[in-house]
């Protein structure tokens, strides 16, 4: 199956009509029908059900079309990125982080780095769930991650970055928002979001709070879910500082605890490029004085 055939499939899915899809693609309807039959023969299942009521996706077709759309989107992005690099640069260094706030000084580092290396581009990526897997596959040259996630992985270099402190996140109009430091007893009578993707040091703090303090708690599936509940006055949440986006939407107040969350940058051991080494050193130097 080629990209043209993928485009044909998506056109039919969008129009639910072979004739209209063929017109939009500037090909004949018999040609379109023939191409779809070729694809269905190749993959071994029907994508579309055809009846007098029109065109519908089969259950297998529903899943297949979603994958096809994602493949074409990724291909388009890859082509555009390749075009950007080929116009000006001789090499590209790709760095992935879970969320933009993890490396708040990255834009400044990129600006200074590309000024010193005008033929080397730095391309950031953001992937909360699959960043590490993609880094290990070689899709990225540098990754921001938690030390606990990478400490036993072979064939990578681990560069300590900073230890992220733990904060209480509330609405700006919350009574706790005016404090300089939050203590365990301040959470008495409140509802606390716990669990979800919390790293181990944060889980230890959460467990201690719900054990020692009379407060309600319930599990969160994600940081975004926690912030949604904070915004709706349903709960408050303890969170690592590297998630702090420094907006006016929430108040982040330091929490009184000794636990911190070690954060690192990782590179591939076989990558000996001086530019990668210099970029990592710049990131470490600038972020060790950050707000985390």
């Amino acid at each position: 199956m080629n990209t043209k055939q993928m485009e044909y499939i998506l056109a039919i899915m969008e129009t639910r009509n072979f004739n209209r899809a063929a017109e939009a693609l500037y090909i004949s309807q018999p040609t379109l029908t023939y191409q779809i039959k070729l694809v269905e023969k190749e993959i071994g299942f029907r994508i579309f059900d055809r009846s007098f009521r029109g065109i519908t996706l089969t259950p297998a077709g529903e899943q297949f079309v979603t994958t096809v759309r994602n493949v074409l989107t990724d291909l388009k992005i890859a082509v555009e990125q390749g075009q950007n690099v080929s116009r000006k640069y001789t090499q590209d260094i790709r760095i992935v982080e879970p969320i933009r706030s993890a490396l708040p000084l990255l834009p400044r580092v990129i600006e200074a780095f590309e000024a010193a290396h005008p033929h080397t581009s730095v391309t950031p990526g953001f992937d909360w769930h699959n960043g590490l897997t993609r880094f290990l596959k070689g899709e990225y040259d540098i990754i921001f991650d938690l030390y606990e996630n990478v400490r036993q992985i072979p064939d990578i270099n681990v560069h300590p970055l900073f230890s992220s402190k733990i904060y209480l996140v509330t609405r700006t109009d919350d009574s706790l928002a005016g404090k300089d430091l939050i203590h365990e007893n301040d959470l008495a009578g409140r509802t606390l979001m716990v669990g979800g993707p919390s790293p181990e040091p944060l889980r230890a703090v959460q467990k201690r709070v719900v054990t020692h303090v009379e407060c309600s708690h319930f599990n969160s599936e994600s940081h975004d879910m926690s912030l949604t509940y904070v915004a709706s006055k349903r709960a408050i949440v303890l969170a690592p500082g590297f998630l702090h986006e420094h907006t006016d939407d929430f108040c982040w107040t330091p929490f009184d605890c000794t636990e911190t969350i070690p954060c690192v940058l990782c590179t591939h051991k076989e990558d000996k490029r001086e530019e990668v080494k210099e970029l990592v050193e710049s990131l470490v130097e600038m972020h060790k004085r950050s707000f985390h």
Side-chain angles (χ1 to χ4, degrees):
M1 182 175 55
N2 55 46
T3 56
K4 277 292 184 186
Q5 291 170 324
M6 292 182 184
E7 292 172 356
Y8 295 165
I9 292 168
L10 293 184
I12 297 171
M13 186 274 296
E14 291 169 359
T15 62
R16 302 301 172 113
N17 184 284
F18 272 74
N19 287 327
R20 288 200 296 273
E23 291 176 2
L25 294 165
Y26 299 101
I27 61 175
S28 67
Q29 187 271 331
T31 297
L32 180 59
T33 300
Y34 174 71
Q35 289 295 325
I36 297 304
K37 286 182 178 179
L38 285 180
V39 172
E40 291 179 330
K41 182 178 180 181
E42 177 184 347
I43 62 179
F45 59 84
R46 287 183 296 107
I47 303 170
F48 301 103
D49 274 330
R50 306 158 180 83
S51 70
F52 67 91
R53 289 189 294 269
I55 305 297
T56 59
L57 287 165
T58 65
E62 290 271 5
Q63 181 177 3
F64 185 67
V65 165
T66 298
T67 302
V68 167
R69 183 186 291 110
N70 291 337
V71 168
L72 284 178
T73 299
D74 289 344
L75 179 60
K76 180 182 178 182
I77 292 172
V79 170
E80 290 174 349
Q81 290 177 340
Q83 290 171 340
N84 291 339
V85 172
S86 65
R87 290 189 186 104
K88 181 179 178 181
Y89 304 106
T90 57
Q91 67 171 324
D92 182 39
I93 300 175
R94 294 177 54 79
I95 179 169
V96 63
E97 52 185 313
I99 189 172
R100 190 171 62 88
S101 62
L103 291 172
L105 301 181
L106 179 59
R108 288 172 55 187
V109 173
I110 291 176
E111 181 181 8
F113 180 85
E114 292 193 352
H117 302 276
H119 298 295
T120 299
S121 69
V122 179
T123 302
F126 307 93
D127 193 328
W128 186 283
H129 299 289
N130 301 304
L132 182 57
T133 298
R134 297 178 66 183
F135 166 74
L136 295 175
K137 287 181 178 180
E139 295 180 31
Y140 287 97
D141 307 299
I142 305 170
I143 184 174
F144 170 96
D145 212 325
L146 307 185
Y147 177 67
E148 67 180 58
N149 294 338
V150 301
R151 59 190 177 89
Q152 294 183 332
I153 298 177
D155 301 323
I156 64 172
N157 297 315
V158 178
H159 311 270
L161 191 58
F162 54 75
S163 288
S164 184
K165 298 178 182 178
I166 294 175
Y167 294 78
L168 180 73
V169 187
T170 64
R171 284 170 50 120
T172 55
D173 59 356
D174 192 288
S175 60
L176 295 177
K179 291 181 170 289
D180 295 325
L181 183 67
I182 301 294
H183 302 278
E184 286 187 10
N185 290 336
D186 292 327
L187 307 185
R190 305 299 295 267
T191 299
L192 185 69
M193 299 287 288
V194 300
S198 301
E200 187 55 39
L202 178 54
R203 286 181 179 272
V205 175
Q206 294 170 344
K207 183 177 180 180
R208 187 167 64 245
V209 169
V210 300
T211 300
H212 296 162
V213 179
E214 293 186 7
C215 65
S216 302
H217 67 278
F218 61 99
N219 292 327
S220 171
E221 297 177 3
S222 66
H223 181 62
D224 285 333
M225 177 181 179
S226 296
L227 292 185
T228 299
Y229 281 117
V230 171
S232 60
K233 294 186 176 182
R234 289 189 60 181
I236 53 180
V237 67
L238 292 166
F242 69 83
L243 297 180
H244 189 351
E245 295 186 329
H246 298 283
T247 67
D248 296 329
D249 296 332
F250 301 96
C251 180
W252 289 64
T253 308
F255 189 72
D256 184 21
C257 64
T258 58
E259 289 86 352
T260 59
I261 302 164
C263 300
V264 300
L265 295 175
C266 299
T267 55
H268 300 283
K269 277 191 175 178
E270 71 271 14
D271 192 344
K272 305 297 185 182
R273 287 177 292 171
E274 285 297 320
E275 293 86 352
V276 172
K277 178 182 177 182
E278 182 178 334
L279 180 60
V280 169
E281 289 175 348
S282 297
L283 284 164
V284 170
E285 177 63 25
M286 293 191 74
H287 282 83
K288 72 181 181 181
R289 296 189 297 267
S290 70
F291 302 103
H292 299 286

